[in-house]
Amino acid sequence: MPRQVLDSPLAHDIAQAMIDGFNRHYRLFRTESARAKHRFETCDWHGQQRAQRERIEFYDLRVRECQRRLEREFKAGAQPMALWQQVKLLYIGMLLRHQQPELAETFFNSVTTRILDRNYFHNDFIFVRPAISTEYLETEDAHAKRTYQAFYPAAGDLHETVRAVLESFDLHCRFEDLARDARRVAAAMHAELGAERPQPNFQIQVLTSLFYRNKGAYLVGKLINGFHELPFALALLHHEPGVLHVDAALFGEEDLSILFSFSRAYFMVDMAIPSAYVQFLRSLMPRKPRAELYNALGLAKQGKNLFYRDLLWHLRHSTDKFRIAPGIKGMVMLVFDLPSLPFVFKIIRDWYPPAKDTTREQVRGKYQLVKRHDRVGRMADTMEFSLLAFPRDRFEDGLIAEVQQLAPSQLEISDRDGDGQTEVIIAHAYIERRMVPLNLYLQEAFDAGADDAAAGARLEHAVIEHGNAIKDLVAANIFPGDMLWKNFGVTRHGKVVFYDYDEIEYLTDCNFRRVPAPRNEEEEMSGEVWYSVGKHDVFPETFGPFLLGNPRVREAFMRHHADLLDVDFWQRNKERIQRGEVIDFFPYGAHRRLGAVEQDTDPPADGVGASAPTTLMESSE
């Protein structure tokens, strides 16, 4: 490399501009996240929802700002590649004492790939692999808040330690009965520990920032006793505005995995060092990928970056091929997967059957709506990618043929690098967690026969969960549009999640109507619709013929969810949302709630609180 490039002030100025751009981004991101505490204390639920939506846009805004600055001040696109290599080396030097180096590397990639040609997307010019270790990263400021804090209970005073833990967050609200809540939490902890005697290292470690989502705040930590580590989380709610109580205590990896599920909205958390939070959370949920934890913390771009690195690593160490995904094919999306990878890839088709009156831009808009909305545990999160490149020999020929037929604009097959290795390049795709399609899940129960008790229980559970999923979406102001079984999936926890977004609408945009009575015998006998139907008109009583063709399904559905066929159910919920009510959605069931019988706050039987603005939506995960 020429010496004048190595010593170039221009390279330093570009690197400094990029680190300044990232620092501005994270300062704004962290400030908005920290404000969640005040919004929780003041019960500003609409403000909390608005902040969660707006924060998602922060990253792309800052990337565009930085790109424009580099092009305006430094003519970045016209600079030689040797200079860009030096920019990266200087940038690495700026990260040596940085508190968010992994996020800053990803920001560098985002800006650089908007400027450089794709031929330069390798480790010489961007961070294909991380350059800075985040292990044991902690603030050097003696007065700054540490990532986690340890508390050491003395013999017989676990409840006093729990009280100290709760008080350490300095919430500007009073507890309804802090001593009672501390005793309840301590009793739940003792029950989980069982007959274990306290060991010399007995302690409680808790992350020093609360996790805010919807109308709840979650305290996350672990009990350590000898070689046993027990993950836990406490859910804090307002008993009434300004008066708190501990509503639930969650324990174990499964409970916390559901709390941090891919089907829920991102948390608001004030973190100086995100990698330290992820490292702590990984000690609680070792099977959850780091990518999903970064996503859950609202750092979706970092989650995408880590997912892509994991994907490349997986491809390098596997030999199976991408295939057309099992299940009924969609009319809008073409779906494929790699059997050894628990994700599916979705491509928008170039054309659709006449029944689907939509466009590519409208479909992308629906996916953006879901990204910004509270997914309430019922809508799968998606990662959006452009220009995904894979080796051609990892694709089944039938899949390539189908993409060429249905989405040719999204496919390129070429030897882009000139190395003799043919690549498949997907122009635009969505990637989400793979689930068992609900129609296939039900088919297994049908195939087992009516006399198989276990299969019958699975069918009953699936039908109940399907209805609960629709009701949770309704309470969150989402009308799913196409409610067929094939558009829902079953997670490993047995939860039913919606994943087909091309027809969703806000519930408040829909006009729910009863089917008018026929005016004469001709209309009554006609197989055609005899009444006018507006663009946003919905007729709930017509759902039955599409959903309930199987007698066993119909019987279970009518016992648990007959109200979904009644226009009054839909209109009542629409009016409640229009009045500004915000519903609670919490990822735990009654067995994790503390004093639920005493408090008499069990949710209504239909799963949707129709009477009060603050209603607990219990999870059946």
Side-chain angles (χ1 to χ4, degrees):
M1 186 182 299
R3 183 167 180 80
Q4 63 267 26
V5 173
L6 285 172
D7 296 337
S8 169
L10 179 58
H12 179 274
D13 291 347
I14 292 175
Q16 186 64 55
M18 294 182 81
I19 199 70
D20 289 346
F22 170 75
N23 289 340
R24 169 172 160 75
H25 158 65
Y26 196 72
R27 182 171 62 253
L28 294 172
F29 177 92
R30 188 179 177 193
T31 298
E32 193 61 79
S33 300
R35 287 173 178 160
K37 179 175 184 288
H38 177 71
R39 291 189 290 265
F40 175 75
E41 292 166 341
T42 58
C43 300
D44 182 9
W45 310 133
H46 290 288
Q48 199 82 299
Q49 290 179 334
R50 183 171 57 253
Q52 285 179 310
R53 289 193 303 269
E54 292 175 352
R55 193 185 63 169
I56 290 171
E57 310 297 331
F58 281 13
Y59 187 86
D60 286 338
L61 289 173
R62 302 292 86 78
V63 167
R64 285 195 291 271
E65 281 180 7
C66 189
Q67 176 196 359
R68 286 195 293 265
R69 180 187 174 190
L70 294 183
E71 291 174 339
R72 182 180 65 251
E73 295 184 18
F74 308 110
K75 303 295 186 291
Q79 298 302 330
M81 290 302 102
L83 183 130
W84 276 106
Q85 285 181 296
Q86 182 63 11
V87 168
K88 181 185 174 185
L89 292 174
L90 290 168
Y91 193 84
I92 290 172
M94 296 173 181
L95 299 182
L96 293 178
R97 302 180 70 86
H98 205 283
Q99 294 188 338
Q100 304 94 32
E102 79 285 17
L103 306 187
E105 289 178 356
T106 295
F107 187 86
F108 183 96
N109 288 355
S110 297
V111 175
T112 306
T113 53
R114 285 173 173 260
I115 297 172
L116 301 183
D117 184 89
R118 182 177 174 82
N119 290 331
Y120 298 101
F121 291 8
H122 54 76
N123 206 52
D124 287 345
F125 302 101
I126 64 174
F127 294 93
V128 176
R129 297 184 300 276
I132 302 295
S133 172
T134 58
E135 286 190 277
Y136 304 109
L137 188 60
E138 188 57 275
T139 179
E140 298 178 4
D141 184 350
H143 303 290
K145 185 166 60 175
R146 295 291 188 261
T147 298
Y148 68 89
Q149 185 175 358
F151 296 80
Y152 303 93
D157 74 345
L158 181 58
H159 65 285
E160 292 295 338
T161 304
V162 171
R163 179 171 184 151
V165 170
L166 292 168
E167 290 176 328
S168 70
F169 291 94
D170 192 30
L171 286 165
H172 296 166
C173 301
R174 68 178 181 87
F175 278 83
E176 180 189 29
D177 189 335
L178 183 57
R180 177 204 65 194
D181 288 351
R183 287 194 303 271
R184 286 174 171 172
V185 171
M189 288 177 170
H190 280 303
E192 291 293 327
L193 291 172
E196 288 185 32
R197 297 174 60 85
Q199 300 299 309
N201 70 333
F202 186 42
Q203 61 187 281
I204 300 175
Q205 294 182 359
V206 295
L207 289 166
T208 53
S209 290
L210 292 172
F211 290 63
Y212 299 95
R213 183 170 64 198
N214 199 265
K215 295 166 72 175
Y218 297 87
L219 183 162
V220 178
K222 58 184 171 182
L223 277 166
I224 299 176
N225 190 39
F227 296 106
H228 183 194
E229 294 192 3
L230 177 64
F232 75 90
L234 305 181
L236 310 183
L237 307 182
H238 284 262
H239 182 73
E240 58 186 70
V243 181
L244 301 177
H245 71 283
V246 182
D247 186 68
L250 316 180
F251 293 101
E253 182 182 356
E254 289 299 303
D255 275 6
L256 267 73
S257 291
I258 293 170
L259 177 64
F260 286 82
S261 169
F262 63 86
S263 62
R264 297 194 175 271
Y266 306 136
F267 285 107
M268 290 269 190
V269 194
D270 179 19
M271 304 171 290
I273 304 176
S275 61
Y277 270 70
V278 170
Q279 182 174 326
F280 189 95
L281 292 171
R282 283 273 286 173
S283 74
L284 311 181
M285 299 168 280
R287 291 182 295 172
K288 187 170 282 290
R290 287 186 304 144
E292 287 190 17
L293 292 173
Y294 274 104
N295 285 342
L297 297 174
L299 298 165
K301 191 65 178 183
Q302 185 65 20
K304 277 180 59 175
N305 190 15
L306 290 176
F307 170 82
Y308 189 62
R309 287 173 178 170
D310 289 342
L311 174 59
L312 295 179
W313 186 256
H314 182 85
L315 288 172
R316 186 175 181 86
H317 296 86
S318 61
T319 58
D320 56 334
K321 295 187 176 186
F322 288 104
R323 61 174 184 175
I324 300 170
I328 299 173
K329 295 180 181 180
M331 291 188 286
V332 172
M333 307 295 281
L334 188 157
V335 185
F336 65 94
D337 69 355
L338 190 70
S340 61
L341 192 73
F343 293 87
V344 295
F345 299 71
K346 295 184 172 183
I347 303 172
I348 303 174
R349 293 166 51 150
D350 284 354
W351 50 78
Y352 326 107
K356 291 287 186 179
D357 181 18
T358 189
T359 65
R360 178 179 301 277
E361 290 69 29
Q362 288 173 333
V363 174
R364 294 185 68 168
K366 304 291 187 183
Y367 275 78
Q368 275 299 108
L369 184 159
V370 172
K371 176 67 72 173
R372 294 191 300 266
H373 203 79
D374 187 347
R375 293 184 297 282
V376 300
R378 296 298 188 176
M379 292 189 287
D381 192 14
T382 58
M383 294 175 285
E384 188 174 5
F385 283 89
S386 298
L387 299 177
L388 281 169
F390 304 108
R392 169 62 181 88
D393 60 11
R394 296 303 298 271
F395 282 74
E396 292 184 354
D397 292 341
L399 172 57
I400 293 294
E402 180 142 322
V403 179
Q404 289 174 328
Q405 178 188 358
L406 300 177
S409 71
Q410 301 301 297
L411 179 68
E412 179 185 347
I413 301 177
S414 69
D415 179 10
R416 180 180 288 268
D417 297 327
D419 58 3
Q421 300 296 316
T422 304
E423 282 188 322
V424 169
I425 300 168
I426 304 296
H428 180 259
Y430 296 99
I431 302 176
E432 65 187 37
R433 270 280 179 179
R434 182 168 58 207
M435 292 169 273
V436 179
L438 184 54
N439 61 302
L440 299 183
Y441 187 91
L442 287 171
Q443 189 60 51
E444 290 182 5
F446 300 154
D447 294 343
D451 296 330
D452 188 320
R458 287 197 300 273
L459 184 147
E460 180 98 355
H461 169 80
V463 172
I464 292 172
E465 267 290 284
H466 177 252
N468 285 343
I470 295 171
K471 289 177 177 178
D472 285 356
L473 293 173
V474 166
N477 195 23
I478 291 292
F479 176 65
D482 192 341
M483 291 181 285
L484 294 177
W485 309 97
K486 69 182 181 67
N487 296 325
F488 294 77
V490 183
T491 72
R492 67 184 181 90
H493 300 291
K495 190 169 184 68
V496 169
V497 173
F498 186 59
Y499 54 55
D500 191 326
Y501 305 143
D502 57 273
E503 290 192 15
I504 65 169
E505 301 284 351
Y506 288 116
L507 190 80
T508 47
D509 289 340
C510 298
N511 179 31
F512 297 99
R513 295 175 53 192
R514 286 187 172 84
V515 174
R519 292 168 296 184
N520 50 54
E521 185 178 356
E522 182 180 346
E523 288 185 348
E524 185 174 5
M525 301 302 293
S526 172
E528 303 296 326
V529 174
W530 63 86
Y531 46 89
S532 63
V533 179
K535 182 178 180 181
H536 296 290
D537 285 351
V538 179
F539 300 86
E541 61 197 279
T542 65
F543 298 163
F546 298 98
L547 296 175
L548 309 179
N550 183 284
R552 296 167 63 192
V553 168
R554 181 177 183 83
E555 190 274 331
F557 189 94
M558 295 305 292
R559 274 192 292 112
H560 298 285
H561 298 302
D563 51 351
L564 288 175
L565 307 182
D566 182 358
V567 70
D568 288 340
F569 166 86
W570 298 88
Q571 190 60 34
R572 184 171 65 245
N573 280 279
K574 175 180 174 178
E575 292 169 357
R576 182 174 60 185
I577 294 166
Q578 289 173 326
R579 289 195 300 269
E581 297 181 13
V582 179
I583 310 301
D584 289 331
F585 297 90
F586 297 114
Y588 48 81
H591 70 295
R592 288 305 190 192
R593 303 189 67 207
L594 304 175
V597 175
E598 301 170 41
Q599 296 173 34
D600 192 26
T601 54
D602 285 336
D606 68 355
V608 175
S611 58
T614 303
T615 304
L616 180 69
M617 303 292 292
E618 284 197 351
S619 166
S620 54
E621 292 180 88

